[in-house]
Amino acid sequence: QVLARSCQSQIIKSAVLVEPSGAMGQDGALELARRFGESVADENQLHEQGKLETWWEEGNKWRRGPQYYFGLSLIQTLLESKAIADANISPGLRILRSLGVRIAVVHGNNDLVYPIYSVLQTLAGYVDEFVTMPGGRHQDVILRPAWYGKIIYDVLLRMEAKV
C-alpha cells in the first residue's frame, strides 16, 4: 500500500530491479535448487582456475558462504527454495506500470540460477528496459557493485529523461 501510494503521488517514478527473484514464471523448488547447485559448482571450477574472484573469500575458506548457509538446515533450504520458486513479480509489475512507474531490469547473461532467456520471456511486456550485463553471473552485483551501480545510474537517468 505504501508503495502504491508513493507511485500514485509520483514519489516513485522509476524502478530498477537487479536479478529479481520471482522473474522466472512457473518454477519448481527442486529445479531451482538444481540450478543453484550447478551455479556453485561452475563458480568453484572457475575460481580454482583463477578465472573468478568472489566476495565469499575468507583466507582459505573459498565459497564457505553459500555452502555453510545452505548446509545449516536442509528443511530451511527446501522451504526457502519453494518460496523463491513460487514467487511471481509479474502482478506487482503490472500494478506499478498502471501507476505510471517505469521499470527496468538489469540481469547477467551468464546467470545459471535465473537464466536470462526465462527472465526475458517472463517479464516481456512488464518492463520498459532490459539491460544485459555481459559475463554477469548470479549475484554478480555483489562482486562488482561499482559496475552495476554505474549501469543502474545510467538506466535511471534514461528513464527520468523519458518522463
Side-chain angles (χ1 to χ4, degrees):
Q1 290 176 348
V2 172
L3 181 59
R5 286 188 193 130
S6 297
C7 294
Q8 287 172 334
S9 63
Q10 291 296 302
I11 293 172
I12 298 175
K13 299 177 197 172
S14 303
V16 178
L17 308 175
V18 179
E19 299 174 5
S21 293
M24 290 287 296
Q26 291 290 82
D27 202 7
L30 293 177
E31 180 63 18
L32 175 65
R34 181 192 63 75
R35 290 192 314 268
F36 183 80
E38 286 178 0
S39 178
V40 170
D42 186 56
E43 289 180 11
N44 281 336
Q45 184 178 20
L46 288 172
H47 180 74
E48 294 299 322
Q49 295 170 356
K51 297 178 182 176
L52 181 71
E53 57 182 301
T54 179
W55 65 280
W56 283 291
E57 285 188 32
E58 288 181 30
N60 294 326
K61 296 180 182 175
W62 150 243
R63 275 305 236 171
R64 181 177 180 268
Q67 290 172 352
Y68 177 77
Y69 174 78
F70 289 108
L72 285 177
S73 168
L74 179 59
I75 293 172
Q76 177 180 339
T77 299
L78 292 174
L79 290 173
E80 288 180 9
S81 293
K82 179 164 177 22
I84 292 169
D86 289 347
N88 182 2
I89 63 172
S90 299
L93 295 179
R94 186 180 310 115
I95 292 168
L96 291 175
R97 295 276 312 251
S98 73
L99 296 170
V101 177
R102 294 186 176 279
I103 300 166
V105 171
V106 176
H107 199 83
N109 67 343
N110 287 335
D111 188 331
L112 299 178
V113 179
Y114 301 138
I116 194 165
Y117 57 85
S118 295
V119 174
L120 281 166
Q121 182 178 7
T122 302
L123 298 183
Y126 295 108
V127 297
D128 298 289
E129 186 169 348
F130 199 99
V131 179
T132 302
M133 300 298 282
R137 309 179 64 75
H138 188 64
Q139 296 183 342
D140 202 34
V141 65
I142 297 167
L143 185 58
R144 300 188 268 186
W147 186 42
Y148 275 76
K150 170 147 181 30
I151 298 299
I152 292 166
Y153 179 74
D154 291 345
V155 169
L156 285 170
L157 286 178
R158 280 195 304 274
M159 288 196 303
E160 185 69 23
K162 294 177 183 177
V163 174

